[in-house]
Every structure is written in C-alpha cells, then in structure tokens.
Amino acid sequence: MARPRSDSPLLFEIAEKPDFSIERRALASGEWPVAGLDEAGRGPLAGPVVAAAVILDPDRIPDGLDDSKRLTALQRDQLFDNILATALAVSLSSIAASGIDRINILRASLEAMRRALAGLSVTPRLALADGRDVPPGLCCPGRALVKGDQRSQSIAAASIVAKVTRDRMMERCGLADQRYGFEAHMGYATERHREAIVLHGPIARWHRVSFAPFKEGIQESVQAVFPSPAE
C-alpha cells in the first residue's frame, strides 16, 4: 500500500539554486532597492571577517550565481568580476582579528554586514541577511534568511564578493609571511596551519587569539599536533 503524500510543506523549501523571487516580491510591494548581505571568514583561526552588500540590477543578473561554497575558485573569480560590472551598488567591510577577539565572531560578523550596508552608494529599502540574525543598527528594515545564499541571488552575490575579497586578502598575507601558508588554507585550522602556529606562535593582529587552540594554551596545541608516543 502506497504511503499517502503529506499535505504539509517543508519547513525550509530551498531551491536547487538561488533565484530572484524574494527580491521581485519586494520590488512589487515597493520595498526597493533590495540589498543582499553575507560574510566570509567566521571559522578561521586567522584573518579578518569580510562582509559584502550587493544590490543587483534586476535586468542584468549574472548567470550562475550560487552559494560561494558551491562554486570553484575560477567560477567565483569570474562571477566576482561580473557582479562588479553589472550590480547597481556593491560595498565591502572587514573587521580584523583583533576586533574579533574584542567583541566575538558573531558580533563582528553582524557589525561587518551593518557597515557594508551603510557603505552602499544606493540607499536600500530592504536588506536580506544570510543566517538567523538580522544585524543590529541597519539603515533599513532587514530580514534574516537561513541558507540565504542558496535562496536569494542578492545574498549569493554578496557571498561571492565577500569570499573572493577575503581569499585575496589572505593570499597577500601569505606573501607577507610565508611560514604559515595562508594562501593555501586562508587561515583555517588545517594541519599545516596548526603546525606552523606551534612552531612560530601566533602573529599579532593576524591570528584570533580568542579562538582555540590559542585560548587552550600552546602546550595543548603542541600535544594535539605532535602527540606523545605510546609507552
């Protein structure tokens, strides 16, 4: 006997790729321009958190917009150029590791998004923010969208701009100090990065010393990377 089909909709119906439907509904209701907000770099041990705000031109939306994590580096670079060439407005903001240590990563991410929105050359009427939280102090009404970079093309565009910008910043850090390999791991807690931290210690204002393994103590980091041999 076939199982009856449920009449209940899914809690979060996420399309295969983001579209412009949320923005078009806002446009129809007079809430335009709409800005997408997203950030890159919440999880790494080093480097800034970078946020972007993007207002797309409804008539010139780049093909292939998606969550930046689902794109290759080449696709992100190409879309980055297309977004900057076609969007009505783009703005970026970043908060360094020292700022993250001072106010914590969640607050730093939300503050970076607020600053990015405030820096737009076109005043938005609505902001769509990726995640569960609307950044406080926005210059317009805001709406949080869980997995927003997979639902809204405006947020997807912001995720690409933020990701490409942060990666390029970390590549420059790798050129400035070649001991840590920032250009390879972008500051994330890879084995190579953790080993470099043990050997050379953290870099002031580059590493987030409020994050593990720093707050756990360097000795625990040494044991994690170079465990003692079994007796």
Side-chain angles (χ1 to χ4, degrees):
M1 180 177 178
R3 173 180 292 183
R5 184 176 179 180
S6 173
D7 292 330
S8 300
L10 296 175
L11 180 59
F12 297 115
E13 294 183 347
I14 300 175
E16 183 178 350
K17 284 194 174 183
D19 58 31
F20 207 65
S21 59
I22 298 172
E23 292 89 336
R24 292 199 184 281
R25 287 196 296 270
L27 176 60
S29 65
E31 295 178 295
W32 184 262
V34 175
L37 298 176
D38 204 357
E39 50 73 28
R42 286 184 65 165
L45 299 179
V49 61
V50 176
V54 177
I55 299 176
L56 292 173
D57 183 340
D59 298 320
R60 302 179 68 196
I61 298 175
D63 292 332
L65 290 176
D66 202 349
D67 173 2
S68 63
K69 296 182 292 295
R70 304 200 297 195
L71 300 170
T72 66
L74 177 59
Q75 289 173 326
R76 288 194 296 266
D77 284 340
Q78 292 173 340
L79 282 165
F80 178 89
D81 292 338
N82 289 342
I83 293 165
L84 295 190
T86 60
L88 297 177
V90 177
S91 176
L92 282 156
S93 177
S94 67
I95 294 181
S98 55
I100 294 169
D101 289 334
R102 186 171 61 253
I103 64 175
N104 78 47
I105 185 58
L106 174 59
R107 289 174 61 192
S109 299
L110 296 176
E111 173 61 13
M113 286 194 279
R114 184 197 70 77
R115 294 180 186 180
L117 188 73
L120 286 169
S121 60
V122 176
T123 302
R125 296 285 299 277
L126 176 67
L128 303 176
D130 182 51
R132 298 182 179 276
D133 302 299
V134 175
L138 295 183
C139 59
C140 67
R143 177 181 173 189
L145 293 178
V146 175
K147 295 189 181 296
D149 46 11
Q150 299 177 27
R151 301 167 64 186
S152 158
Q153 288 180 324
S154 296
I155 296 178
S159 77
I160 292 165
V161 172
K163 170 65 173 170
V164 171
T165 300
R166 186 182 187 279
D167 284 356
R168 292 178 180 179
M169 293 170 73
M170 296 309 296
E171 288 168 0
R172 294 295 297 271
C173 289
L175 291 174
D177 192 323
Q178 300 178 12
R179 297 174 298 171
Y180 295 83
F182 291 122
E183 71 284 356
H185 52 66
M186 306 306 170
Y188 283 88
T190 63
E191 182 178 359
R192 176 184 178 183
H193 189 192
R194 292 176 68 92
E195 288 179 355
I197 291 169
V198 171
L199 291 173
H200 308 296
I203 302 177
R205 297 185 298 276
W206 286 18
H207 281 101
R208 305 173 183 181
V209 295
S210 61
F211 279 35
F214 308 110
K215 66 180 181 181
E216 297 170 359
I218 194 67
Q219 183 59 39
E220 293 183 18
S221 299
V222 172
Q223 292 173 355
V225 178
F226 304 110
S228 300
E231 295 181 358

